[in-house]
Amino acid sequence: MLLAHALLDKVRRYWVLIFAAACLPLAALYLDDLYSQASGRLQVDAAWLLPTAITQFGVWLALALGWRETVACCAHVRIGLRDALAHLGLFTAGKYLPGKVWGALARGTRLGQAGSTLGGAAQATLVEQVLVFHSATALCALIGAWTLGDAWRLPLVAVALILLLAGWPIGRIGISTARAILVLLRPQMETAATPALSAPAYMRLFAIYALAWLLHGLVLVCVAAAFLGHEPEARLVASMVFANAAAMLVGFIAVFAPAGIGVRDATLASLLAVSMPLADAALLAIVARMFSVAADLVAGALAVLPASAGRSTGQSPDL
């Protein structure tokens, strides 16, 4: 009994390291497999490596800032940027395990250590996912109206305007629907406080996540220039930003595929083939996934950053 108690105590103290040790080797093995497919066909341009790294860091920073503010609103706990980056690392590492929920569970556990309730952590994740889908869809519609041709222009402009001008009502519907699904799956969550969001707060978060999507698309542009020699040109840049966001959305929806593996890559290659030869599009999809996995390994390492004490924010609806 004493041995079991001591073992459980060790798990509680070092669970983050255990979680990372379970997830990150899977990502590393996948990265090695991808490299074996692409090696010999890469044309590395060192001048683009630093812009690629800086843009990727911008993605992490935007996502961490968005998550920090979402937590303040929904879990009523104020966490620091270091903690938000660590939460991002946990969420990123967990997506390589089948089921796509382990990263959220690990992040929620660490958020609980900062003083959040289980309901607050769950609702912060739901609101975050609504914002992710809402902002990505709006960005796809806006850029797709330019890149997909005349036949799509008016319908996509209309969709983009609706998603932007009716942003808060759409977000409120999404949050209410997600909350209803959560309560259906876990009835005890019905007692959790409703997220204290106002229209300005939601649209501010929407802008942060839209920026993250835009930067993520620019990472793809930098990767294409750094490893395949594709010089950025306005229409090609727009096509890549659109293809990246659309492919990642499809990957998120494919719950059966850890990290959207296979589904996201095939979608990305298909969409990129509109703007470049199919062989180049397929290679870029592989290289983009290689960079994504390498970045996820770095992000996963952020999970071991030491936690700081969270501070209650009260019930302010305006963050």
Side-chain angles (χ1 to χ4, degrees):
M1 182 66 72
L2 290 176
L3 180 62
H5 181 75
L7 182 61
L8 182 61
D9 181 63
K10 292 292 185 184
V11 170
R12 286 172 176 167
R13 290 180 61 187
Y14 300 110
W15 71 268
V16 171
L17 290 174
I18 296 170
F19 180 79
C23 299
L24 297 185
L26 298 175
L29 288 172
Y30 183 48
L31 177 61
D32 181 66
D33 179 62
L34 288 170
Y35 181 74
S36 67
Q37 298 178 46
S39 61
R41 294 188 285 171
L42 303 181
Q43 307 170 22
V44 179
D45 184 346
W48 278 97
L49 295 180
L50 182 59
T52 304
I54 291 173
T55 309
Q56 179 60 56
F57 180 75
V59 174
W60 290 336
L61 186 60
L63 290 174
L65 289 172
W67 173 245
R68 185 180 69 170
E69 297 307 317
T70 304
V71 165
C73 175
C74 300
H76 309 298
V77 171
R78 174 65 69 178
I79 60 174
L81 183 59
R82 184 183 67 187
D83 295 283
L85 287 168
H87 291 189
L88 174 64
L90 287 170
F91 194 77
T92 298
K95 71 184 182 182
Y96 288 93
L97 295 176
K100 293 194 175 183
V101 298
W102 305 109
L105 290 174
R107 186 175 65 174
T109 300
R110 179 142 178 178
L111 189 55
Q113 294 173 344
S116 170
T117 63
L118 176 61
Q123 294 208 91
T125 297
L126 288 178
V127 170
E128 175 201 43
Q129 295 306 299
V130 170
L131 284 160
V132 164
F133 276 90
H134 187 180
S135 56
T137 305
L139 186 68
C140 284
L142 194 61
I143 298 179
W146 178 32
T147 61
L148 293 183
D150 294 338
W152 289 93
R153 184 158 297 133
L154 285 179
L156 288 177
V157 167
V159 170
L161 288 175
I162 291 171
L163 291 171
L164 292 170
L165 298 179
W168 169 231
I170 292 173
R172 188 163 49 187
I173 292 170
I175 292 169
S176 298
T177 302
R179 178 181 168 86
I181 294 172
L182 177 65
V183 170
L184 183 64
L185 296 175
R186 297 183 65 87
Q188 61 268 39
M189 291 294 157
E190 190 169 8
T191 59
T194 302
L197 271 171
S198 64
Y202 181 86
M203 294 310 296
R204 186 162 64 248
L205 288 168
F206 174 90
I208 292 174
Y209 282 102
L211 175 62
W213 279 112
L214 178 61
L215 289 172
H216 207 290
L218 293 179
V219 168
L220 179 62
V221 174
C222 291
V223 166
F227 298 101
L228 298 178
H230 285 283
E231 288 298 323
E233 169 270 323
R235 195 170 190 87
L236 182 59
V237 168
S239 296
M240 287 185 181
V241 172
F242 167 78
N244 180 74
M248 292 195 73
L249 276 177
V250 173
F252 285 150
I253 295 170
V255 295
F256 55 86
I261 291 173
V263 178
R264 180 177 119 191
D265 312 304
T267 304
L268 180 61
S270 299
L271 293 172
L272 288 173
V274 176
S275 305
M276 62 181 68
L278 180 59
D280 289 354
L283 180 58
L284 179 53
I286 293 174
V287 175
R289 174 62 82 167
M290 283 176 55
F291 183 83
S292 175
V293 176
D296 287 346
L297 286 170
V298 176
L302 298 175
V304 301
L305 289 173
S308 60
R311 295 181 288 110
S312 173
T313 64
Q315 301 290 324
S316 171
D318 295 317
L319 299 181

